[in-house]
Amino acid sequence: MMRIFGFPLSAVVLVVALVLRTGFASAQGPSWSALVACAGQEHNGGHHDRSLDCALRAGAIHTSPSLRWFIAREHQELGHALEALDNAEQCAQEALRPGVQDGQRIAAECGAIANAE
């Protein structure tokens, strides 16, 4: 049986595989749901810049009309008129697609942001 530093080769391979897997998992960063939760917590704390950062990072993983609505509102809170308008318009269009839960309400909310900008 082959040994490396006195350990069986199979044990060394297993440890290396676990280290690499853990390293890659942590390099991927927080999950979408953790980022959405972060955005909500930061928003509730009045930290709109940090809330927007979390929401944008979540949007890089997966976006939805409701997340775009949230991003548009955070941009609006921070005085980013063009970004708020862009996200609100995209949100309003996406919300009206078939199968979007609460699509009419979300489209109306996004439309209100777009009209305010």
Side-chain angles (χ1 to χ4, degrees):
M1 173 179 275
M2 183 175 208
R3 293 186 168 274
I4 299 177
F5 300 113
F7 296 100
L9 179 61
S10 60
V12 172
V13 169
L14 178 62
V15 169
V16 169
L18 289 173
V19 168
L20 289 175
R21 183 171 184 218
T22 303
F24 289 134
S26 63
Q28 291 174 356
S31 68
W32 180 86
S33 57
L35 290 167
V36 169
C38 167
Q41 290 170 348
E42 295 295 347
H43 172 83
N44 290 339
H47 305 287
H48 300 291
D49 55 339
R50 294 192 304 228
S51 173
L52 178 59
D53 179 61
C54 291
L56 289 172
R57 290 171 55 205
I61 297 169
H62 170 73
T63 193
S64 66
S66 58
L67 183 58
R68 282 204 192 278
W69 172 30
F70 185 90
I71 291 170
R73 287 186 355 211
E74 291 305 287
H75 275 302
Q76 190 177 41
E77 285 286 337
L78 293 167
H80 304 159
L82 292 177
E83 293 88 346
L85 177 61
D86 182 50
N87 279 281
E89 288 176 342
Q90 287 181 55
C91 162
Q93 290 174 0
E94 292 171 5
L96 295 176
R97 291 183 182 154
V100 174
Q101 187 175 3
D102 294 327
Q104 294 292 327
R105 181 182 61 82
I106 294 170
E109 294 288 350
C110 290
I113 293 171
N115 291 332
E117 297 303 325

